[in-house]
Amino acid sequence: MDNSFMEKVIEDELFFPADREISRKLTGWYLEHKRELPWRETEDPYRIWVSEIILQQTRVAQGMDYYLRFIRRFPDMASLASAEEDEVLKYWQGLGYYSRARNLHAAAKMIREQYGGKFPESYDEVLSLKGVGEYTAAAIVSAAWNMPYPVVDGNVFRVLSRLFAEDTPIDSQKGKNKFTRLAGLLMNPAEARLHNQAIMEFGALQCVPKKPDCRQCVFTDKCRAYASGQVEYYPVKQNKTKTRNRYFHYFHIIYKGNTWLHRRLAGDIWTGLYEFPLIETDTPSDFATLQGAETFRRIFADTGELRITVERPKEKHVLSHQVLDITFYRIEIEKPSATLASYLQVTPDELDAYAVPRIIHLYLSGF
Ligand code: SF4
């Protein structure tokens, strides 16, 4: 693939200030097609920050309700900084990637302590917040204060790599540098807010990953990937991420209506959330095999006869690099074992107050 055109663009920084056609077309398209989203109606950095963190791994349609509920409960930095982590996680329940919520909460406390609760106003200070990377920092400072920092997210990588038929892998440092530089060159610094939102929205709605409608695109005559008939070849990645299969077997143990939970520890998915007693295996296991496991024997030692009233067959739960195969067993016991004392005994009324992974929430809701 010939990269010389893009190299030339990047070398010749004078090219773009004189020709802002790409940015003009993007912003023109944006003003006509943009979605009305609540975080676009504000220049409050706190609200923009919350929306950016929610949208890091979440689609807009799903993130909207969460954003509105979150902002209703935590309308400003002070309310978030003074909340308990468990409550913040509860408001995040179902969104996944809970480290985002923990980092958001930790950063709010840091802002309260270091900046007197006022959102920091320089790019470097915003970048130093927990959970904020280069993309998020650029998105916040450009949307809140119109600072000329280009955003480069998955949508922007896709749009630029196609427009310029650029095949430097986007997951390489070289690729990141190149695309960030190009994104900066394309931007009119006086319209950073508008330009950044336009290019991201263009990637989200028009230049979509699969089968974009290139014949109805403002760049039909300019897009090099379209001209070469290789739109879906871009963007190029060097590392295809390996997926790990995990098998979770949850025991929803019932005794006099109560059940048992425990809190997941750091260093794995769902840190800080609550779950039923669990046995994890590397391969699929049936109930008879689980009964032979040491953990099972400890949990159910001297619990009397086990009445399995629900055996919820395997649920597939796909995370970014993992596929979880999850089975639920609802098991009534005659008396609790000594091991269960190390778990948290929870009454049916209390159960709803605990933040649990979405898959457990769905199970408890009877789905
Ligand atoms: S022509 Fe197609 S590939 Fe090129 S920018 Fe437009 S939608 Fe994207």
Side-chain angles (χ1 to χ4, degrees), residues 29-213:
W29 174 92
Y30 175 71
L31 293 172
E32 206 179 313
H33 296 93
K34 68 172 176 169
R35 293 164 290 182
E36 301 296 333
L37 301 171
W39 47 86
R40 288 195 181 139
E41 309 301 318
T42 180
E43 292 177 11
D44 175 356
Y46 169 76
R47 292 183 178 214
I48 294 166
W49 173 49
V50 169
S51 73
E52 285 297 336
I53 301 297
I54 287 177
L55 294 178
Q56 273 174 3
Q57 317 271 359
T58 304
R59 283 171 295 110
V60 166
Q62 191 200 359
M64 176 84 88
D65 282 351
Y66 280 90
Y67 170 81
L68 293 173
R69 276 199 304 132
F70 198 90
I71 287 296
R72 219 174 292 134
R73 169 61 189 89
F74 309 110
D76 50 30
M77 193 69 77
S79 51
L80 179 58
S82 59
E84 292 295 328
E85 183 179 288
D86 273 357
E87 191 186 6
V88 178
L89 288 175
K90 189 69 194 163
Y91 273 79
W92 210 265
Q93 182 173 292
L95 266 180
Y97 303 97
Y98 293 86
S99 58
R100 293 181 296 170
R102 283 191 300 275
N103 288 339
L104 194 70
H105 186 224
K109 291 204 271 193
M110 182 189 137
I111 291 170
R112 179 180 61 188
E113 265 117 59
Q114 291 187 11
Y115 302 101
K118 188 169 179 298
F119 206 92
E121 289 191 18
S122 80
Y123 172 84
D124 287 338
E125 285 170 329
V126 174
L127 184 61
S128 74
L129 298 176
K130 237 180 158 183
V132 173
E134 287 172 4
Y135 157 75
T136 306
I140 294 170
V141 301
S142 64
W145 301 291
N146 202 29
M147 287 187 199
Y149 285 87
V151 291
V152 187
D153 70 347
N155 286 322
V156 177
F157 276 128
R158 189 167 58 255
V159 171
L160 295 182
S161 64
R162 287 174 175 176
L163 274 177
F164 292 93
E166 169 55 45
D167 63 0
T168 306
I170 60 170
D171 54 348
S172 66
Q173 196 51 50
K174 191 174 171 209
K176 282 186 185 119
N177 294 345
K178 249 185 183 182
F179 283 106
T180 303
R181 182 109 183 274
L182 179 62
L185 288 172
L186 293 176
M187 170 192 280
N188 175 355
E191 294 200 330
R193 177 187 293 122
L194 187 59
H195 172 91
N196 277 345
Q197 288 174 354
I199 193 166
M200 287 192 289
E201 191 78 334
F202 185 79
L205 300 183
Q206 168 66 34
C207 195
V208 292
K210 299 264 178 245
K211 296 192 175 41
D213 187 358

Side-chain angles (χ1 to χ4, degrees), residues 186-347:
L186 293 176
M187 170 192 280
N188 175 355
E191 294 200 330
R193 177 187 293 122
L194 187 59
H195 172 91
N196 277 345
Q197 288 174 354
I199 193 166
M200 287 192 289
E201 191 78 334
F202 185 79
L205 300 183
Q206 168 66 34
C207 195
V208 292
K210 299 264 178 245
K211 296 192 175 41
D213 187 358
C214 296
R215 281 174 306 176
Q216 301 296 324
C217 177
V218 290
F219 296 117
T220 301
D221 59 346
K222 206 172 183 75
C223 176
R224 294 168 70 87
Y226 181 49
S228 66
Q230 288 192 295
V231 167
E232 289 193 22
Y233 172 76
Y234 301 97
V236 172
K237 278 192 177 177
Q238 63 185 4
N239 293 323
K240 293 247 183 284
T241 318
K242 279 203 194 120
T243 302
R244 174 181 168 205
N245 291 311
R246 303 174 72 176
Y247 299 86
F248 282 17
H249 312 273
Y250 278 125
F251 304 112
H252 178 198
I253 303 171
I254 310 281
Y255 175 68
K256 294 187 175 170
N258 296 347
T259 190
W260 282 265
L261 297 176
H262 83 121
R263 198 167 196 211
R264 284 186 72 90
L265 301 173
D268 197 358
I269 56 169
W270 302 337
T271 299
L273 298 192
Y274 291 84
E275 64 182 359
F276 298 127
L278 165 74
I279 292 181
E280 180 177 349
T281 56
D282 294 333
T283 51
S285 292
D286 58 18
F287 193 70
T289 310
L290 294 173
Q291 281 178 302
E294 170 63 20
T295 309
F296 188 98
R297 286 206 296 266
R298 275 194 286 107
I299 293 174
F300 293 102
D302 303 322
T303 49
E305 192 190 337
L306 306 183
R307 282 190 52 223
I308 304 174
T309 52
V310 175
E311 182 182 332
R312 185 76 178 267
K314 290 179 180 38
E315 299 272 353
K316 268 217 185 321
H317 195 64
V318 181
L319 304 174
S320 59
H321 303 147
Q322 306 184 23
V323 177
L324 308 183
D325 228 307
I326 299 176
T327 309
F328 291 95
Y329 296 95
R330 183 178 187 278
I331 303 177
E332 290 178 51
I333 56 176
E334 292 176 346
K335 67 183 173 70
S337 63
T339 298
L340 281 175
S342 62
Y343 291 79
L344 199 64
Q345 192 171 170
V346 178
T347 67

